[in-house]
């Protein structure tokens, strides 16, 4: 019998964008560029999602260069993947601050088995984006940073939200990371009526970069909201 894990793995294998991006922006697709990623992400999903239990979805912005943009697993860098999930990665070594916060939430929730048994994490745009800056370096980019970029990506975003709901996602309530991300989600959800309700969570990067003194309060807020529905 096909499981939630099987459907996620198939979804990741098929991720592709056929539209046109602005010249200075590129996608990161670790499933296409690193053969080990499909293997390690497959192990992750088989470990935590090999059932047909419905889960609520937590929706980020788009994968970052040191998290899902490399490992293929949202908000999971190679350190957390090895040390918390017990799945080592040979080809990459990454540290992502957002992953640190998310796994503190996961551990406080009861650990990865309990957390991933109830929640599935992905993003509005499931592939990472990078932009070439003035110094000719590639840096993280958000799907909403430019109107032209967002308009190019909107059909892709909507199509993949629908596909992820079909994985086995509970549509009574979802959780959106980041206020600006939530504003774009709200417009789409109002038009398409994908979810009955949603809760806004502070984005982990914002907490780790600007609210370190208050991170314990943000962890408590996450736990309160995640446990309230």
């Amino acid at each position: 019998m096909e499981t939630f894990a099987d459907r996620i793995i198939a979804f990741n294998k098929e991720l592709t964008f056929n539209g046109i991006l602005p010249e200075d922006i590129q996608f990161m697709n670790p499933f296409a560029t690193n053969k080990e990623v499909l293997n390690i992400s497959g192990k992750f999903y088989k470990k935590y999602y090999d059932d047909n239990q419905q889960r609520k979805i937590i929706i980020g912005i788009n994968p970052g260069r040191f998290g899902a943009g490399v490992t293929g697993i949202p908000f999971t860098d190679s350190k957390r993947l090895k040390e918390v999930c017990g799945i080592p990665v040979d080809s990459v070594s990454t540290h992502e601050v957002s992953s640190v916060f998310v796994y503190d939430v996961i551990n406080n929730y009861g650990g990865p088995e309990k957390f991933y048994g109830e929640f599935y994490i992905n993003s509005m745009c499931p592939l990472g984006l990078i932009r070439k800056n003035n110094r000719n370096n590639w840096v993280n980019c958000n799907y909403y940073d430019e109107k032209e970029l967002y308009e190019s990506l909107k059909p892709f975003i909507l199509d993949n939200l629908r596909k992820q709901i079909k994985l086995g996602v509970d549509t009574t309530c979802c959780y959106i990371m980041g206020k600006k991300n939530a504003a774009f989600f709200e417009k789409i959800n109002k038009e398409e009526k994908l979810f009955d309700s949603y809760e806004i969570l502070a984005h982990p990067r914002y907490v780790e970069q600007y609210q370190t003194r208050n991170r314990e309060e943000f962890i408590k807020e996450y736990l309160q909201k995640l446990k309230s529905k």
Side-chain angles (χ1 to χ4, degrees):
M1 179 184 292
E2 186 183 61
T3 64
F4 200 124
D6 295 324
R7 292 188 289 273
I8 299 172
I9 293 166
F11 170 79
N12 287 337
K13 284 181 179 179
E14 294 166 4
L15 273 174
T16 185
F17 176 74
N18 297 316
I20 299 173
L21 293 176
E23 289 184 3
D24 62 338
I25 295 175
Q26 291 183 5
F27 268 124
M28 292 183 291
N29 186 349
F31 305 106
T33 57
N34 185 345
K35 292 181 180 179
E36 190 187 16
V37 168
L38 277 174
N39 181 41
I40 61 171
S41 62
K43 288 180 180 178
F44 173 87
Y45 289 116
K46 278 293 188 179
K47 182 171 184 176
Y48 297 115
Y49 292 84
D50 204 23
D51 55 55
N52 274 299
Q53 181 176 320
Q54 271 201 332
R55 290 162 172 86
K56 287 189 169 66
I57 188 171
I58 301 171
I59 304 174
I61 300 168
N62 42 254
R65 289 182 301 144
F66 304 114
V70 175
T71 64
I73 304 164
F75 293 96
T76 303
D77 59 17
S78 65
K79 284 186 180 180
R80 259 42 62 178
L81 192 57
K82 179 180 179 180
E83 295 171 7
V84 183
C85 303
I87 303 172
V89 189
D90 295 326
S91 60
V92 293
S93 178
T94 60
H95 173 90
E96 184 188 52
V97 295
S98 294
S99 183
V100 176
F101 178 84
V102 167
Y103 275 83
D104 279 350
V105 170
I106 289 172
N107 289 331
N108 277 277
Y109 193 85
E113 287 82 6
K114 178 174 173 56
F115 182 87
Y116 288 126
E118 298 177 26
F119 298 98
Y120 164 68
I121 307 179
N122 213 301
S123 299
M124 287 281 281
C125 179
L127 290 177
L129 294 159
I130 50 175
R131 173 197 297 279
K132 188 170 284 189
N133 65 14
N134 294 333
R135 296 180 179 179
N136 221 30
N137 296 321
W138 290 100
V139 297
N140 280 329
C141 174
N142 298 321
Y143 72 84
Y144 52 63
D145 281 350
E146 291 181 4
K147 184 178 180 182
E148 178 189 359
L149 176 61
Y150 174 68
E151 292 300 329
S152 295
L153 290 173
K154 187 177 178 182
F156 178 72
I157 288 170
L158 180 55
D159 180 54
N160 283 292
L161 284 174
R162 287 174 174 153
K163 286 178 178 177
Q164 289 179 92
I165 287 172
K166 291 179 180 179
L167 299 177
V169 166
D170 180 347
T171 58
T172 58
C173 179
C174 68
Y175 301 86
I176 312 298
M177 289 174 164
K179 290 181 179 179
K180 191 166 184 179
N181 190 32
F184 281 83
F185 168 83
E186 184 177 21
K187 291 177 183 177
I188 287 177
N189 198 52
K190 189 174 182 180
E191 294 170 0
E192 305 296 332
K193 298 178 173 56
L194 301 174
F195 295 90
D196 297 340
S197 64
Y198 65 95
E199 292 278 354
I200 301 175
L201 300 168
H203 196 279
R205 178 80 189 190
Y206 166 75
V207 176
E208 292 295 314
Q209 191 166 351
Y210 302 109
Q211 295 289 335
T212 52
R213 291 182 180 179
N214 302 313
R215 75 188 305 275
E216 291 303 317
E217 293 304 313
F218 281 101
I219 289 173
K220 289 179 183 177
E221 182 181 332
Y222 259 69
L223 295 174
Q224 182 182 12
K225 288 185 176 181
L226 293 176
K227 291 179 178 181
S228 67
K229 299 290 184 180

